[in-house]
Structures are given as structure tokens and as C-alpha cells.
Amino acid sequence: MMLSRAKPAVGGESPHTDKRKKKGRKIPKLEDLLSQRDFTGAITLLEFKRHVGEQEDDTNLWIGYCAFHLGDYKRALEEYENATKEENCNPEVWVNLACTYFFLGMYKQAEAAGFKAPKSRLQNRLLFHLAHKNLQDIKEDQLSLASIHYMRSHYQEAIDIYKRILLDNREYLALNVYVALCYYKLDYYDVSQEVLAVYLQQIPDSTIAL
């Protein structure tokens, strides 16, 4: 007969088979989600475990970590601050909290939290950025910044700062030596000699300039 079929046209498997497939699905591991940078999935997993009472140690830290990488700094801040209130909290929370404060523009709080963190390369980088943020447009701070540029071989940046200071402070003759050194490092030997000559005209017996 034309209307007879050996198999149904739709729904080849019974509902029971579909349920068995769903039951067979494995819950992903946190490590796998983090390695895949699936931070939304990781937060979902952590919140589920927290809801059903399977919360593990440092859950606050991991939720904060994922929220931070998703750009949800307020959520990360909430989790990290809660973590600091726990007994025997993981000391690593302080540097993570400090980074979150930094991205929220709360630099004083970031500095306070950063100093509570154990010494690490991340702490060094954070405190360096904070120091740079706290620099003011005064001669002492700008000269310190120029010296850092010089030590990091950013000679043109150092020259720009020295020249800007010299425009308003012609009496700071020694800065010409620093400018000359920067030009020398950039292989502009003729320019270096010209700048150095300005200093030697005033202090011809300078052992440093000679």
C-alpha cells in the first residue's frame, strides 16, 4: 500500500533514547573551560556548584578571575572583596583585587591592595603602572620618568622630556649632557657633540662631559 511505511518519517528515535543521550553527557571540567578561555561557561559551572553545595576552595577567586577576563570588573571586585573576608584567604587574592581596582580607575585602593600581595612579577608590573599613573607634571617626577626611559633604551622619549624641561629651565645645564648621551646612543654623533658643546661652553673643565 502507498500509505504504509517500514519506518516513521519523523522522529526515528524514541523519547527514551534522547533522554539517555542527555543523561550520558559529561559536565565539563573547570580546567578544560579555562584552557579554552570559555570564561562564561566557567562562571556558569562555578555558580552551579556553589548553588548545589559543591563549592570548592577558591571558588570566589575563580569566579573573580573569569569575570575579570570578561571585562566585568565590578563582578570581579565583588568576588575578590568577599574572598579577602574569608578566614585563611588565599594571599594571591590581593594582587588580583589590586588589578581589578586598577582597571576601575581606583588607583589608591589598587596601591593599598597591591602592597598586601606576596612579591611576584605581576605585583611588580602593577606597582610600576601605578607609579607611572601617580607621576605628576613636575620636574622631579618627569626627570625620574626620563631616567627610566633611558634605562629601558627609549632614548627618544627621554630626549623629549629633557628638551621640554630645558625650554623652561635653561639654567639646568647638566641636562644637555643627558640629551647628548641619548643622541649618542641613537648614533647621532654630530648632534651629540653639538649639544655637549653648549654645556662645555659654560663648564669647560667638566670631567663627565669630556
Side-chain angles (χ1 to χ4, degrees):
M1 294 176 62
M2 292 181 63
L3 297 179
S4 65
R5 287 182 179 272
K7 295 182 180 179
V10 180
E13 295 182 359
S14 67
H16 298 291
T17 305
D18 189 49
K19 286 181 180 179
R20 284 197 297 271
K21 282 187 176 180
K22 288 182 178 179
K23 286 182 179 179
R25 291 177 183 171
K26 292 183 179 179
I27 297 176
K29 293 182 179 180
L30 177 62
E31 294 80 3
D32 295 335
L33 293 170
L34 293 174
S35 65
Q36 296 165 11
R37 300 186 66 80
D38 183 3
F39 300 117
T40 301
I43 287 180
T44 303
L45 176 63
L46 290 164
E47 287 179 335
F48 172 76
K49 287 188 173 183
R50 176 188 280 176
H51 180 71
V52 299
E54 296 180 4
Q55 179 170 322
E56 300 176 3
D57 293 339
D58 296 335
T59 294
N60 287 339
L61 271 177
W62 283 118
I63 293 179
Y65 176 88
C66 294
F68 181 90
H69 282 80
L70 288 170
D72 189 355
Y73 303 122
K74 290 184 178 179
R75 173 69 190 280
L77 179 65
E78 179 184 346
E79 294 292 340
Y80 287 142
E81 285 184 336
N82 287 337
T84 62
K85 298 172 185 176
E86 296 177 354
E87 291 186 18
N88 303 318
C89 77
N90 189 327
E92 295 295 332
V93 70
W94 289 107
V95 71
N96 294 332
L97 176 60
C99 290
T100 306
Y101 278 134
F102 183 87
F103 274 82
L104 287 170
M106 304 166 69
Y107 302 125
K108 289 183 179 180
Q109 294 90 332
E111 186 174 17
F115 279 119
K116 292 180 181 179
K119 292 187 180 298
S120 65
R121 287 180 293 180
L122 177 57
Q123 184 205 42
N124 286 338
R125 292 193 295 271
L126 172 69
L127 294 178
F128 176 79
H129 281 288
L130 284 169
H132 187 270
K133 285 285 185 183
N134 290 330
L135 287 177
Q136 299 179 18
D137 192 17
I138 58 176
K139 292 188 292 290
E140 293 80 5
D141 285 7
Q142 292 302 306
L143 286 171
S144 296
L145 179 58
S147 68
I148 291 173
H149 280 312
Y150 182 88
M151 288 188 292
R152 296 179 64 83
S153 302
H154 299 163
Y155 303 118
Q156 186 58 56
E157 289 84 349
I159 289 171
D160 293 340
I161 294 174
Y162 289 137
K163 282 187 172 181
R164 189 167 65 249
I165 294 174
L166 275 169
L167 284 174
D168 298 326
N169 303 273
R170 295 286 183 181
E171 69 277 13
Y172 289 5
L173 295 174
L175 292 185
N176 288 289
V177 178
Y178 301 153
V179 174
L181 282 171
C182 291
Y183 277 124
Y184 180 85
K185 291 289 188 178
L186 290 171
D187 296 335
Y188 294 138
Y189 304 120
D190 292 340
V191 179
S192 178
Q193 289 287 351
E194 291 175 8
V195 175
L196 197 59
V198 175
Y199 179 74
L200 288 172
Q201 286 176 0
Q202 301 295 325
I203 309 177
D205 58 345
S206 171
T207 55
I208 295 176
L210 293 173

